[in-house]
């Protein structure tokens, strides 16, 4: 596999179209997309106000970015930023995917913005695995946002929402395709892989309630996102 020089990485990032070795990354570099569909390593973004680069052998190149610890920022983006300037060769509707590790319902979301547009909360739980997910609006799973991008320069900005979630890599595509690698038998976020098993969300079990009060005296169900989940009588 072709190995990019440090100078080339700083200028262009390490993209699928160039055949670069994805293990080489550089913190704080701008990473243009120079073909129709391309990958960008998350650590190639311009990181500020708390995003850090950490290591995991299962991540592309062994590295990922993580938001700072602290209270959730669910009403507005947190202060941390990971910015990616990219350039598309021709106008098209683009899908953007991110490879994330989101261990559960408390640590499963980022904020994002494209070209200074509206901020969206991007949420999905995936358990013990790394998983590719399209950028979508909050809980509208399976409904990817499509970005009509003109030829030229654009910018994606990621902001923190909660701690404990990780971002490994980004994929930009005008073809609507899903990057390879999602081989889990589970169906995130409705069921996620924990300890080698697919655990459901409480809501995915249907006709359920979550909480001590509604579940008092009822048979409890196992769910990854609710410590006290149960079926409701008559449902």
């Amino acid at each position: 596999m072709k190995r990019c020089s440090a100078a080339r990485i700083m200028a262009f990032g390490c993209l699928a179209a160039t055949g670069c070795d994805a293990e080489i990354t550089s913190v704080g570099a701008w990473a243009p997309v120079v073909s129709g569909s391309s990958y960008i390593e998350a650590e190639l973004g311009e990181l500020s106000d708390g995003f850090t680069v950490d290591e995991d052998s299962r991540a592309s190149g062994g590295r990922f970015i993580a938001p700072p610890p602290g209270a959730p920022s669910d009403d507005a983006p947190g202060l941390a930023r990971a910015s990616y300037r990219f350039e598309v060769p021709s106008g098209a509707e683009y899908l953007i995917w991110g490879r994330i590790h989101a261990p559960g319902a408390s640590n499963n979301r980022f904020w994002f913005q494209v070209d200074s547009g509206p901020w969206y909360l991007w949420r999905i739980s995936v358990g013990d695995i790394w998983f590719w997910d399209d950028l979508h609006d909050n809980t509208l799973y399976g409904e990817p946002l499509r970005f009509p991008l003109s030829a030229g320069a654009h910018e994606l900005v990621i902001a923190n929402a909660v701690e404990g979630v990780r971002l490994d890599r980004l994929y930009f595509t005008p073809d609507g395709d899903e990057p390879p690698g999602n081989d889990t038998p589970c169906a995130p976020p409705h069921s996620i892989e924990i300890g080698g098993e697919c655990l459901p969300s409480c809501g995915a079990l249907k006709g359920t309630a979550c909480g001590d009060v509604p579940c008092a005296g009822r048979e409890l169900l196992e769910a990854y996102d609710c410590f006290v989940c149960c079926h409701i009588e008559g449902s």
Side-chain angles (χ1 to χ4, degrees):
M1 179 177 289
K2 180 179 178 181
R3 184 171 293 273
C4 295
S5 68
R8 182 175 176 81
I9 291 165
M10 287 297 293
F12 297 109
C14 198
L15 308 180
T18 66
C20 303
D21 186 337
E23 291 187 358
I24 305 177
T25 57
S26 179
V27 178
W30 291 105
V33 173
V34 294
S35 72
S37 297
S38 293
Y39 294 88
I40 295 177
E41 298 294 329
E43 60 269 29
L44 281 175
E46 186 177 79
L47 309 180
S48 62
D49 293 315
F51 268 113
T52 57
V53 178
D54 295 302
E55 296 184 352
D56 184 334
S57 61
R58 300 171 300 167
S60 173
R63 297 198 218 176
F64 63 88
I65 66 169
S73 299
D74 282 339
D75 295 327
L79 296 178
R81 296 287 187 274
S83 301
Y84 304 88
R85 185 176 298 157
F86 60 99
E87 188 169 318
V88 300
S90 58
E93 275 198 344
Y94 272 74
L95 265 63
I96 304 175
W97 296 76
R99 188 170 187 255
I100 62 173
H101 183 284
S106 298
N107 311 96
N108 71 339
R109 50 204 181 273
F110 290 103
W111 288 92
F112 71 90
Q113 177 193 60
V114 175
D115 289 342
S116 300
W119 284 99
Y120 293 96
L121 191 62
W122 172 38
R123 178 195 305 263
I124 191 170
S125 300
V126 298
D128 293 339
I129 64 169
W130 285 94
F131 189 80
W132 282 105
D133 184 47
D134 54 70
L135 296 191
H136 58 266
D137 185 8
N138 207 348
T139 58
L140 297 179
Y141 311 118
E143 299 182 27
L145 289 170
R146 298 177 181 272
F147 302 97
L149 303 179
S150 59
H154 300 274
E155 186 176 32
L156 166 69
V157 180
I158 305 290
N160 64 304
V162 292
E163 61 184 2
V165 61
R166 305 171 177 181
L167 178 64
D168 173 30
R169 210 176 190 199
L170 297 163
Y171 180 63
F172 300 77
T173 175
D175 302 322
D177 57 311
E178 177 179 342
N182 286 350
D183 54 0
T184 177
C186 311
H190 311 297
S191 66
I192 65 175
E193 191 170 335
I194 298 180
E197 298 182 3
C198 293
L199 293 184
S201 68
C202 189
L205 293 170
K206 306 295 185 182
T208 55
C210 179
D212 292 325
V213 173
C215 290
R218 305 184 190 278
E219 182 180 357
L220 300 184
L221 305 170
E222 189 174 18
Y224 78 81
D225 60 345
C226 176
F227 288 115
V228 185
C229 177
C230 63
H231 275 303
I232 302 173
E233 288 182 358
S235 62

